[in-house]
Amino acid sequence: MYEDMTFENIMVSMMEDMPDGLDTSEGSLIYHSCVKQAARLEEVYVELAALTDNQYADTADLDHLVQFGQERRTYIEEATAAEFEGVFNVSVPIGTEFSGDDYNYIVTDVINEEEHKYRLECEDPGIAANGWLGDLMCLDDIDGLEDAALTKLLVEGKDEEDEESYRMRIMDSFGIQAFGGNRAYYKERIGAIDGVGGVKPYRRKGTIIPIVIISDEYRKAESKLINDVQTQVDPIEQTGEGIGIAPIGHSVSITTVTEYIVNVSAVATYDTGYSAEGLKTQVENAVEEYLLSLRKNWINSDSIIVRRAGIENAIYNVEGITDVSNILLNGGTENITLKENVIPVKGVVSCS
């Protein structure tokens, strides 16, 4: 709006307004008397342009965009920390700290006490720690502890939401409005509950409004999470009374996705220095990443299709593999088309 209000243009305008016959050339007394004012006016117009831009969501800077989002109840997705499975040779207390690959990790929960498996959380949020697994060094004094390692990524860490992605979500919020009981309302409110990774509300069936959720690990939600969500949305003992976030008169039933195990077999050609045994973990991880990408898209799909070509491409991209053939999914040569709200999980992966 004020792009033309530059120092040069302001000076030209000032000199044109001077009385006829007055020397306005550069270096003249009147010219020098106006220079500082023109420079200051240029600064004022720059600040005024920024103020104008920050009045609108499509041009606001990030700080003002966050304020817009708060008014729209559309909040920026903050960075989250990665969570891992760790295995030790002895039991370790909750809260024990470890170090590995320039990051610190803290034990937050027990996975399997007998096998000494625990859930650890990286102390630094973001995606940087997602790709590392390996031996850990204990920062506390634990009797008998000799072996400590991160063995599996359970929940990916996430960076703070990209500014333009957040801007688009705010702009989208001016479209379909979330209000008590519509589809957008349930997606927004249930999706904000800790542990929920996606929400699918359905049209009322009889007296019940069915809602299906997936966990934030993009797996079947555990019974505890289902019960927690049910209680927050519409407690079973007082269903339809509007005690939770569901409006009065809405009887809501929370269920979760069903998991379908996909076993994979393939034949690969290996580059010099590589072997099937040596790349076994990498191949399994590649298959898991492909299936995870399908699960992440569950929210946008009526039916997930596990494609042989997708599996083949995932394995082919593993370093050390030069060719892939004879892909079988659960022993068959066809793609697997899953029913609605069924998600694929990795079973046995064999790559000879």
Side-chain angles (χ1 to χ4, degrees), residues 188-224:
E188 177 184 299
R189 297 299 300 275
I190 298 175
I193 296 175
D194 287 344
V196 175
V199 184
K200 277 189 181 181
Y202 288 89
R203 181 186 294 274
R204 186 191 302 269
K205 296 181 179 179
T207 60
I208 301 297
I209 298 172
I211 295 179
V212 183
I213 63 172
I214 193 170
S215 78
D216 57 5
E217 298 177 14
Y218 299 101
R219 297 291 298 264
K220 178 177 68 175
E222 297 180 356
S223 57
K224 182 181 184 304

PDB file of all heavy atoms in Angstrom, residues 188-224:
ATOM      1  N   GLU A 188     -12.317 -30.950  15.720  1.00  0.00           N
ATOM      2  CA  GLU A 188     -11.471 -29.984  16.413  1.00  0.00           C
ATOM      3  C   GLU A 188     -11.316 -30.313  17.889  1.00  0.00           C
ATOM      4  O   GLU A 188     -10.198 -30.363  18.412  1.00  0.00           O
ATOM      5  CB  GLU A 188     -12.059 -28.585  16.251  1.00  0.00           C
ATOM      6  CG  GLU A 188     -11.305 -27.484  16.981  1.00  0.00           C
ATOM      7  CD  GLU A 188     -11.997 -26.135  16.852  1.00  0.00           C
ATOM      8  OE1 GLU A 188     -12.149 -25.657  15.713  1.00  0.00           O
ATOM      9  OE2 GLU A 188     -12.393 -25.572  17.895  1.00  0.00           O
ATOM     10  N   ARG A 189     -12.411 -30.565  18.579  1.00  0.00           N
ATOM     11  CA  ARG A 189     -12.368 -30.753  20.023  1.00  0.00           C
ATOM     12  C   ARG A 189     -11.775 -32.100  20.410  1.00  0.00           C
ATOM     13  O   ARG A 189     -10.965 -32.189  21.339  1.00  0.00           O
ATOM     14  CB  ARG A 189     -13.779 -30.600  20.609  1.00  0.00           C
ATOM     15  CG  ARG A 189     -14.395 -29.229  20.425  1.00  0.00           C
ATOM     16  CD  ARG A 189     -13.570 -28.135  21.122  1.00  0.00           C
ATOM     17  NE  ARG A 189     -13.473 -28.377  22.549  1.00  0.00           N
ATOM     18  CZ  ARG A 189     -14.382 -27.995  23.440  1.00  0.00           C
ATOM     19  NH1 ARG A 189     -15.460 -27.336  23.035  1.00  0.00           N
ATOM     20  NH2 ARG A 189     -14.212 -28.232  24.723  1.00  0.00           N
ATOM     21  N   ILE A 190     -12.158 -33.172  19.712  1.00  0.00           N
ATOM     22  CA  ILE A 190     -11.610 -34.491  20.048  1.00  0.00           C
ATOM     23  C   ILE A 190     -10.157 -34.601  19.580  1.00  0.00           C
ATOM     24  O   ILE A 190      -9.312 -35.179  20.266  1.00  0.00           O
ATOM     25  CB  ILE A 190     -12.465 -35.623  19.444  1.00  0.00           C
ATOM     26  CG1 ILE A 190     -13.880 -35.570  20.016  1.00  0.00           C
ATOM     27  CG2 ILE A 190     -11.835 -36.985  19.716  1.00  0.00           C
ATOM     28  CD1 ILE A 190     -14.835 -36.570  19.399  1.00  0.00           C
ATOM     29  N   GLY A 191      -9.858 -33.997  18.423  1.00  0.00           N
ATOM     30  CA  GLY A 191      -8.489 -34.027  17.925  1.00  0.00           C
ATOM     31  C   GLY A 191      -7.510 -33.332  18.844  1.00  0.00           C
ATOM     32  O   GLY A 191      -6.303 -33.598  18.786  1.00  0.00           O
ATOM     33  N   ALA A 192      -7.999 -32.443  19.709  1.00  0.00           N
ATOM     34  CA  ALA A 192      -7.125 -31.720  20.641  1.00  0.00           C
ATOM     35  C   ALA A 192      -6.859 -32.501  21.924  1.00  0.00           C
ATOM     36  O   ALA A 192      -6.026 -32.091  22.737  1.00  0.00           O
ATOM     37  CB  ALA A 192      -7.750 -30.369  20.983  1.00  0.00           C
ATOM     38  N   ILE A 193      -7.514 -33.636  22.105  1.00  0.00           N
ATOM     39  CA  ILE A 193      -7.305 -34.444  23.315  1.00  0.00           C
ATOM     40  C   ILE A 193      -5.977 -35.183  23.213  1.00  0.00           C
ATOM     41  O   ILE A 193      -5.656 -35.757  22.173  1.00  0.00           O
ATOM     42  CB  ILE A 193      -8.472 -35.443  23.510  1.00  0.00           C
ATOM     43  CG1 ILE A 193      -9.786 -34.678  23.739  1.00  0.00           C
ATOM     44  CG2 ILE A 193      -8.196 -36.393  24.672  1.00  0.00           C
ATOM     45  CD1 ILE A 193     -11.012 -35.571  23.811  1.00  0.00           C
ATOM     46  N   ASP A 194      -5.207 -35.174  24.279  1.00  0.00           N
ATOM     47  CA  ASP A 194      -3.904 -35.841  24.295  1.00  0.00           C
ATOM     48  C   ASP A 194      -4.041 -37.314  23.917  1.00  0.00           C
ATOM     49  O   ASP A 194      -4.895 -38.024  24.459  1.00  0.00           O
ATOM     50  CB  ASP A 194      -3.267 -35.746  25.689  1.00  0.00           C
ATOM     51  CG  ASP A 194      -2.753 -34.350  25.995  1.00  0.00           C
ATOM     52  OD1 ASP A 194      -2.620 -33.568  25.047  1.00  0.00           O
ATOM     53  OD2 ASP A 194      -2.495 -34.060  27.175  1.00  0.00           O
ATOM     54  N   GLY A 195      -3.188 -37.747  22.986  1.00  0.00           N
ATOM     55  CA  GLY A 195      -3.180 -39.152  22.581  1.00  0.00           C
ATOM     56  C   GLY A 195      -3.968 -39.440  21.327  1.00  0.00           C
ATOM     57  O   GLY A 195      -3.827 -40.517  20.742  1.00  0.00           O
ATOM     58  N   VAL A 196      -4.786 -38.485  20.877  1.00  0.00           N
ATOM     59  CA  VAL A 196      -5.609 -38.687  19.679  1.00  0.00           C
ATOM     60  C   VAL A 196      -4.861 -38.154  18.461  1.00  0.00           C
ATOM     61  O   VAL A 196      -4.393 -37.022  18.453  1.00  0.00           O
ATOM     62  CB  VAL A 196      -6.975 -37.983  19.812  1.00  0.00           C
ATOM     63  CG1 VAL A 196      -7.774 -38.107  18.514  1.00  0.00           C
ATOM     64  CG2 VAL A 196      -7.756 -38.581  20.971  1.00  0.00           C
ATOM     65  N   GLY A 197      -4.754 -39.001  17.416  1.00  0.00           N
ATOM     66  CA  GLY A 197      -4.050 -38.604  16.211  1.00  0.00           C
ATOM     67  C   GLY A 197      -4.960 -38.285  15.040  1.00  0.00           C
ATOM     68  O   GLY A 197      -4.521 -37.710  14.044  1.00  0.00           O
ATOM     69  N   GLY A 198      -6.235 -38.646  15.134  1.00  0.00           N
ATOM     70  CA  GLY A 198      -7.180 -38.384  14.054  1.00  0.00           C
ATOM     71  C   GLY A 198      -8.585 -38.766  14.479  1.00  0.00           C
ATOM     72  O   GLY A 198      -8.781 -39.625  15.349  1.00  0.00           O
ATOM     73  N   VAL A 199      -9.575 -38.130  13.852  1.00  0.00           N
ATOM     74  CA  VAL A 199     -10.979 -38.304  14.253  1.00  0.00           C
ATOM     75  C   VAL A 199     -11.850 -38.408  13.012  1.00  0.00           C
ATOM     76  O   VAL A 199     -11.697 -37.625  12.072  1.00  0.00           O
ATOM     77  CB  VAL A 199     -11.464 -37.108  15.107  1.00  0.00           C
ATOM     78  CG1 VAL A 199     -12.894 -37.351  15.596  1.00  0.00           C
ATOM     79  CG2 VAL A 199     -10.526 -36.848  16.269  1.00  0.00           C
ATOM     80  N   LYS A 200     -12.773 -39.368  13.027  1.00  0.00           N
ATOM     81  CA  LYS A 200     -13.780 -39.479  11.966  1.00  0.00           C
ATOM     82  C   LYS A 200     -15.168 -39.550  12.600  1.00  0.00           C
ATOM     83  O   LYS A 200     -15.567 -40.592  13.127  1.00  0.00           O
ATOM     84  CB  LYS A 200     -13.537 -40.730  11.125  1.00  0.00           C
ATOM     85  CG  LYS A 200     -12.493 -40.589  10.032  1.00  0.00           C
ATOM     86  CD  LYS A 200     -12.505 -41.819   9.140  1.00  0.00           C
ATOM     87  CE  LYS A 200     -11.475 -41.746   8.039  1.00  0.00           C
ATOM     88  NZ  LYS A 200     -11.505 -42.952   7.164  1.00  0.00           N
ATOM     89  N   PRO A 201     -15.930 -38.453  12.552  1.00  0.00           N
ATOM     90  CA  PRO A 201     -17.320 -38.488  13.034  1.00  0.00           C
ATOM     91  C   PRO A 201     -18.245 -38.989  11.915  1.00  0.00           C
ATOM     92  O   PRO A 201     -17.987 -38.739  10.731  1.00  0.00           O
ATOM     93  CB  PRO A 201     -17.620 -37.027  13.370  1.00  0.00           C
ATOM     94  CG  PRO A 201     -16.326 -36.278  13.160  1.00  0.00           C
ATOM     95  CD  PRO A 201     -15.493 -37.107  12.231  1.00  0.00           C
ATOM     96  N   TYR A 202     -19.317 -39.664  12.300  1.00  0.00           N
ATOM     97  CA  TYR A 202     -20.275 -40.189  11.329  1.00  0.00           C
ATOM     98  C   TYR A 202     -21.682 -39.711  11.657  1.00  0.00           C
ATOM     99  O   TYR A 202     -21.987 -39.309  12.787  1.00  0.00           O
ATOM    100  CB  TYR A 202     -20.229 -41.723  11.319  1.00  0.00           C
ATOM    101  CG  TYR A 202     -18.969 -42.271  10.688  1.00  0.00           C
ATOM    102  CD1 TYR A 202     -17.834 -42.502  11.459  1.00  0.00           C
ATOM    103  CD2 TYR A 202     -18.906 -42.534   9.331  1.00  0.00           C
ATOM    104  CE1 TYR A 202     -16.662 -42.992  10.881  1.00  0.00           C
ATOM    105  CE2 TYR A 202     -17.752 -43.025   8.743  1.00  0.00           C
ATOM    106  CZ  TYR A 202     -16.633 -43.260   9.529  1.00  0.00           C
ATOM    107  OH  TYR A 202     -15.479 -43.728   8.948  1.00  0.00           O
ATOM    108  N   ARG A 203     -22.530 -39.794  10.628  1.00  0.00           N
ATOM    109  CA  ARG A 203     -23.932 -39.435  10.801  1.00  0.00           C
ATOM    110  C   ARG A 203     -24.580 -40.316  11.871  1.00  0.00           C
ATOM    111  O   ARG A 203     -24.226 -41.482  12.033  1.00  0.00           O
ATOM    112  CB  ARG A 203     -24.670 -39.598   9.462  1.00  0.00           C
ATOM    113  CG  ARG A 203     -26.135 -39.243   9.481  1.00  0.00           C
ATOM    114  CD  ARG A 203     -26.775 -39.582   8.146  1.00  0.00           C
ATOM    115  NE  ARG A 203     -26.238 -38.751   7.086  1.00  0.00           N
ATOM    116  CZ  ARG A 203     -26.706 -37.544   6.779  1.00  0.00           C
ATOM    117  NH1 ARG A 203     -27.712 -37.039   7.476  1.00  0.00           N
ATOM    118  NH2 ARG A 203     -26.179 -36.856   5.791  1.00  0.00           N
ATOM    119  N   ARG A 204     -25.513 -39.763  12.592  1.00  0.00           N
ATOM    120  CA  ARG A 204     -26.200 -40.477  13.653  1.00  0.00           C
ATOM    121  C   ARG A 204     -26.809 -41.780  13.129  1.00  0.00           C
ATOM    122  O   ARG A 204     -27.441 -41.815  12.068  1.00  0.00           O
ATOM    123  CB  ARG A 204     -27.312 -39.605  14.237  1.00  0.00           C
ATOM    124  CG  ARG A 204     -28.004 -40.200  15.452  1.00  0.00           C
ATOM    125  CD  ARG A 204     -29.254 -39.387  15.787  1.00  0.00           C
ATOM    126  NE  ARG A 204     -28.946 -37.995  16.044  1.00  0.00           N
ATOM    127  CZ  ARG A 204     -28.668 -37.502  17.242  1.00  0.00           C
ATOM    128  NH1 ARG A 204     -28.660 -38.313  18.298  1.00  0.00           N
ATOM    129  NH2 ARG A 204     -28.419 -36.212  17.396  1.00  0.00           N
ATOM    130  N   LYS A 205     -26.589 -42.864  13.862  1.00  0.00           N
ATOM    131  CA  LYS A 205     -27.199 -44.159  13.560  1.00  0.00           C
ATOM    132  C   LYS A 205     -28.145 -44.512  14.701  1.00  0.00           C
ATOM    133  O   LYS A 205     -27.708 -44.854  15.796  1.00  0.00           O
ATOM    134  CB  LYS A 205     -26.131 -45.235  13.393  1.00  0.00           C
ATOM    135  CG  LYS A 205     -25.198 -44.994  12.197  1.00  0.00           C
ATOM    136  CD  LYS A 205     -24.172 -46.106  12.053  1.00  0.00           C
ATOM    137  CE  LYS A 205     -23.278 -45.857  10.837  1.00  0.00           C
ATOM    138  NZ  LYS A 205     -22.238 -46.927  10.688  1.00  0.00           N
ATOM    139  N   GLY A 206     -29.434 -44.390  14.431  1.00  0.00           N
ATOM    140  CA  GLY A 206     -30.407 -44.574  15.497  1.00  0.00           C
ATOM    141  C   GLY A 206     -30.290 -43.413  16.471  1.00  0.00           C
ATOM    142  O   GLY A 206     -30.475 -42.260  16.106  1.00  0.00           O
ATOM    143  N   THR A 207     -29.933 -43.741  17.712  1.00  0.00           N
ATOM    144  CA  THR A 207     -29.773 -42.684  18.722  1.00  0.00           C
ATOM    145  C   THR A 207     -28.304 -42.367  18.989  1.00  0.00           C
ATOM    146  O   THR A 207     -28.002 -41.506  19.808  1.00  0.00           O
ATOM    147  CB  THR A 207     -30.432 -43.128  20.043  1.00  0.00           C
ATOM    148  OG1 THR A 207     -29.800 -44.332  20.506  1.00  0.00           O
ATOM    149  CG2 THR A 207     -31.918 -43.374  19.856  1.00  0.00           C
ATOM    150  N   ILE A 208     -27.407 -43.042  18.301  1.00  0.00           N
ATOM    151  CA  ILE A 208     -25.971 -42.926  18.591  1.00  0.00           C
ATOM    152  C   ILE A 208     -25.230 -42.206  17.469  1.00  0.00           C
ATOM    153  O   ILE A 208     -25.463 -42.449  16.284  1.00  0.00           O
ATOM    154  CB  ILE A 208     -25.346 -44.320  18.801  1.00  0.00           C
ATOM    155  CG1 ILE A 208     -26.038 -45.053  19.959  1.00  0.00           C
ATOM    156  CG2 ILE A 208     -23.847 -44.211  19.065  1.00  0.00           C
ATOM    157  CD1 ILE A 208     -25.896 -44.377  21.307  1.00  0.00           C
ATOM    158  N   ILE A 209     -24.318 -41.320  17.857  1.00  0.00           N
ATOM    159  CA  ILE A 209     -23.397 -40.686  16.908  1.00  0.00           C
ATOM    160  C   ILE A 209     -22.054 -41.412  17.011  1.00  0.00           C
ATOM    161  O   ILE A 209     -21.356 -41.299  18.013  1.00  0.00           O
ATOM    162  CB  ILE A 209     -23.213 -39.193  17.225  1.00  0.00           C
ATOM    163  CG1 ILE A 209     -24.541 -38.453  17.102  1.00  0.00           C
ATOM    164  CG2 ILE A 209     -22.149 -38.577  16.305  1.00  0.00           C
ATOM    165  CD1 ILE A 209     -24.488 -37.029  17.581  1.00  0.00           C
ATOM    166  N   PRO A 210     -21.685 -42.215  15.992  1.00  0.00           N
ATOM    167  CA  PRO A 210     -20.424 -42.961  16.052  1.00  0.00           C
ATOM    168  C   PRO A 210     -19.233 -42.069  15.696  1.00  0.00           C
ATOM    169  O   PRO A 210     -19.288 -41.312  14.725  1.00  0.00           O
ATOM    170  CB  PRO A 210     -20.597 -44.064  15.000  1.00  0.00           C
ATOM    171  CG  PRO A 210     -21.985 -43.900  14.450  1.00  0.00           C
ATOM    172  CD  PRO A 210     -22.436 -42.521  14.773  1.00  0.00           C
ATOM    173  N   ILE A 211     -18.178 -42.167  16.482  1.00  0.00           N
ATOM    174  CA  ILE A 211     -16.943 -41.440  16.199  1.00  0.00           C
ATOM    175  C   ILE A 211     -15.775 -42.407  16.354  1.00  0.00           C
ATOM    176  O   ILE A 211     -15.651 -43.097  17.369  1.00  0.00           O
ATOM    177  CB  ILE A 211     -16.764 -40.236  17.138  1.00  0.00           C
ATOM    178  CG1 ILE A 211     -17.868 -39.209  16.869  1.00  0.00           C
ATOM    179  CG2 ILE A 211     -15.390 -39.596  16.954  1.00  0.00           C
ATOM    180  CD1 ILE A 211     -17.804 -37.979  17.748  1.00  0.00           C
ATOM    181  N   VAL A 212     -14.932 -42.464  15.315  1.00  0.00           N
ATOM    182  CA  VAL A 212     -13.788 -43.375  15.304  1.00  0.00           C
ATOM    183  C   VAL A 212     -12.511 -42.547  15.452  1.00  0.00           C
ATOM    184  O   VAL A 212     -12.360 -41.507  14.815  1.00  0.00           O
ATOM    185  CB  VAL A 212     -13.731 -44.191  13.994  1.00  0.00           C
ATOM    186  CG1 VAL A 212     -12.580 -45.195  14.031  1.00  0.00           C
ATOM    187  CG2 VAL A 212     -15.060 -44.911  13.763  1.00  0.00           C
ATOM    188  N   ILE A 213     -11.593 -43.026  16.300  1.00  0.00           N
ATOM    189  CA  ILE A 213     -10.339 -42.311  16.518  1.00  0.00           C
ATOM    190  C   ILE A 213      -9.159 -43.222  16.214  1.00  0.00           C
ATOM    191  O   ILE A 213      -9.289 -44.450  16.175  1.00  0.00           O
ATOM    192  CB  ILE A 213     -10.210 -41.784  17.961  1.00  0.00           C
ATOM    193  CG1 ILE A 213     -10.183 -42.947  18.966  1.00  0.00           C
ATOM    194  CG2 ILE A 213     -11.330 -40.813  18.281  1.00  0.00           C
ATOM    195  CD1 ILE A 213      -9.870 -42.532  20.386  1.00  0.00           C
ATOM    196  N   ILE A 214      -8.004 -42.595  15.980  1.00  0.00           N
ATOM    197  CA  ILE A 214      -6.733 -43.300  15.847  1.00  0.00           C
ATOM    198  C   ILE A 214      -5.773 -42.648  16.838  1.00  0.00           C
ATOM    199  O   ILE A 214      -5.902 -41.451  17.140  1.00  0.00           O
ATOM    200  CB  ILE A 214      -6.202 -43.212  14.400  1.00  0.00           C
ATOM    201  CG1 ILE A 214      -5.061 -44.201  14.164  1.00  0.00           C
ATOM    202  CG2 ILE A 214      -5.782 -41.804  14.053  1.00  0.00           C
ATOM    203  CD1 ILE A 214      -4.657 -44.330  12.690  1.00  0.00           C
ATOM    204  N   SER A 215      -4.825 -43.403  17.360  1.00  0.00           N
ATOM    205  CA  SER A 215      -3.914 -42.849  18.352  1.00  0.00           C
ATOM    206  C   SER A 215      -2.908 -41.916  17.692  1.00  0.00           C
ATOM    207  O   SER A 215      -2.751 -41.910  16.464  1.00  0.00           O
ATOM    208  CB  SER A 215      -3.176 -43.972  19.080  1.00  0.00           C
ATOM    209  OG  SER A 215      -2.131 -44.480  18.278  1.00  0.00           O
ATOM    210  N   ASP A 216      -2.191 -41.140  18.503  1.00  0.00           N
ATOM    211  CA  ASP A 216      -1.181 -40.237  17.937  1.00  0.00           C
ATOM    212  C   ASP A 216       0.054 -40.987  17.464  1.00  0.00           C
ATOM    213  O   ASP A 216       0.963 -40.392  16.874  1.00  0.00           O
ATOM    214  CB  ASP A 216      -0.794 -39.143  18.932  1.00  0.00           C
ATOM    215  CG  ASP A 216      -0.265 -39.676  20.254  1.00  0.00           C
ATOM    216  OD1 ASP A 216      -0.098 -40.910  20.388  1.00  0.00           O
ATOM    217  OD2 ASP A 216      -0.015 -38.861  21.171  1.00  0.00           O
ATOM    218  N   GLU A 217       0.104 -42.308  17.700  1.00  0.00           N
ATOM    219  CA  GLU A 217       1.135 -43.162  17.117  1.00  0.00           C
ATOM    220  C   GLU A 217       0.636 -43.798  15.821  1.00  0.00           C
ATOM    221  O   GLU A 217       1.303 -44.642  15.238  1.00  0.00           O
ATOM    222  CB  GLU A 217       1.547 -44.246  18.109  1.00  0.00           C
ATOM    223  CG  GLU A 217       2.160 -43.698  19.393  1.00  0.00           C
ATOM    224  CD  GLU A 217       2.498 -44.790  20.393  1.00  0.00           C
ATOM    225  OE1 GLU A 217       2.507 -45.985  20.004  1.00  0.00           O
ATOM    226  OE2 GLU A 217       2.759 -44.466  21.550  1.00  0.00           O
ATOM    227  N   TYR A 218      -0.561 -43.405  15.399  1.00  0.00           N
ATOM    228  CA  TYR A 218      -1.218 -43.920  14.192  1.00  0.00           C
ATOM    229  C   TYR A 218      -1.385 -45.436  14.271  1.00  0.00           C
ATOM    230  O   TYR A 218      -1.122 -46.159  13.316  1.00  0.00           O
ATOM    231  CB  TYR A 218      -0.449 -43.498  12.936  1.00  0.00           C
ATOM    232  CG  TYR A 218      -0.391 -42.000  12.816  1.00  0.00           C
ATOM    233  CD1 TYR A 218       0.752 -41.296  13.186  1.00  0.00           C
ATOM    234  CD2 TYR A 218      -1.491 -41.275  12.374  1.00  0.00           C
ATOM    235  CE1 TYR A 218       0.798 -39.907  13.110  1.00  0.00           C
ATOM    236  CE2 TYR A 218      -1.455 -39.890  12.297  1.00  0.00           C
ATOM    237  CZ  TYR A 218      -0.305 -39.219  12.664  1.00  0.00           C
ATOM    238  OH  TYR A 218      -0.274 -37.843  12.592  1.00  0.00           O
ATOM    239  N   ARG A 219      -1.850 -45.853  15.447  1.00  0.00           N
ATOM    240  CA  ARG A 219      -2.193 -47.248  15.694  1.00  0.00           C
ATOM    241  C   ARG A 219      -3.571 -47.286  16.348  1.00  0.00           C
ATOM    242  O   ARG A 219      -4.182 -46.259  16.652  1.00  0.00           O
ATOM    243  CB  ARG A 219      -1.155 -47.918  16.610  1.00  0.00           C
ATOM    244  CG  ARG A 219       0.256 -48.000  16.039  1.00  0.00           C
ATOM    245  CD  ARG A 219       0.357 -48.956  14.885  1.00  0.00           C
ATOM    246  NE  ARG A 219       0.033 -50.314  15.257  1.00  0.00           N
ATOM    247  CZ  ARG A 219       0.936 -51.248  15.597  1.00  0.00           C
ATOM    248  NH1 ARG A 219       2.224 -50.941  15.609  1.00  0.00           N
ATOM    249  NH2 ARG A 219       0.575 -52.482  15.886  1.00  0.00           N
ATOM    250  N   LYS A 220      -4.052 -48.512  16.567  1.00  0.00           N
ATOM    251  CA  LYS A 220      -5.312 -48.678  17.280  1.00  0.00           C
ATOM    252  C   LYS A 220      -5.198 -48.052  18.666  1.00  0.00           C
ATOM    253  O   LYS A 220      -4.203 -48.255  19.367  1.00  0.00           O
ATOM    254  CB  LYS A 220      -5.622 -50.172  17.389  1.00  0.00           C
ATOM    255  CG  LYS A 220      -6.885 -50.494  18.161  1.00  0.00           C
ATOM    256  CD  LYS A 220      -7.143 -51.991  18.155  1.00  0.00           C
ATOM    257  CE  LYS A 220      -6.099 -52.743  18.954  1.00  0.00           C
ATOM    258  NZ  LYS A 220      -6.408 -54.174  19.059  1.00  0.00           N
ATOM    259  N   ALA A 221      -6.187 -47.279  19.060  1.00  0.00           N
ATOM    260  CA  ALA A 221      -6.155 -46.652  20.383  1.00  0.00           C
ATOM    261  C   ALA A 221      -6.353 -47.702  21.461  1.00  0.00           C
ATOM    262  O   ALA A 221      -7.172 -48.608  21.324  1.00  0.00           O
ATOM    263  CB  ALA A 221      -7.241 -45.583  20.482  1.00  0.00           C
ATOM    264  N   GLU A 222      -5.594 -47.597  22.544  1.00  0.00           N
ATOM    265  CA  GLU A 222      -5.756 -48.509  23.666  1.00  0.00           C
ATOM    266  C   GLU A 222      -7.048 -48.185  24.411  1.00  0.00           C
ATOM    267  O   GLU A 222      -7.594 -47.083  24.310  1.00  0.00           O
ATOM    268  CB  GLU A 222      -4.552 -48.401  24.601  1.00  0.00           C
ATOM    269  CG  GLU A 222      -3.239 -48.815  23.949  1.00  0.00           C
ATOM    270  CD  GLU A 222      -2.061 -48.702  24.899  1.00  0.00           C
ATOM    271  OE1 GLU A 222      -2.272 -48.236  26.041  1.00  0.00           O
ATOM    272  OE2 GLU A 222      -0.941 -49.061  24.500  1.00  0.00           O
ATOM    273  N   SER A 223      -7.513 -49.159  25.180  1.00  0.00           N
ATOM    274  CA  SER A 223      -8.797 -49.004  25.870  1.00  0.00           C
ATOM    275  C   SER A 223      -8.799 -47.796  26.807  1.00  0.00           C
ATOM    276  O   SER A 223      -9.818 -47.114  26.953  1.00  0.00           O
ATOM    277  CB  SER A 223      -9.139 -50.270  26.649  1.00  0.00           C
ATOM    278  OG  SER A 223      -8.109 -50.596  27.571  1.00  0.00           O
ATOM    279  N   LYS A 224      -7.654 -47.493  27.423  1.00  0.00           N
ATOM    280  CA  LYS A 224      -7.583 -46.344  28.328  1.00  0.00           C
ATOM    281  C   LYS A 224      -7.852 -45.051  27.578  1.00  0.00           C
ATOM    282  O   LYS A 224      -8.596 -44.184  28.061  1.00  0.00           O
ATOM    283  CB  LYS A 224      -6.217 -46.277  29.012  1.00  0.00           C
ATOM    284  CG  LYS A 224      -6.084 -45.114  30.008  1.00  0.00           C
ATOM    285  CD  LYS A 224      -4.721 -45.082  30.643  1.00  0.00           C
ATOM    286  CE  LYS A 224      -4.640 -43.976  31.695  1.00  0.00           C
ATOM    287  NZ  LYS A 224      -4.982 -42.641  31.154  1.00  0.00           N
TER     288      LYS A 224
END
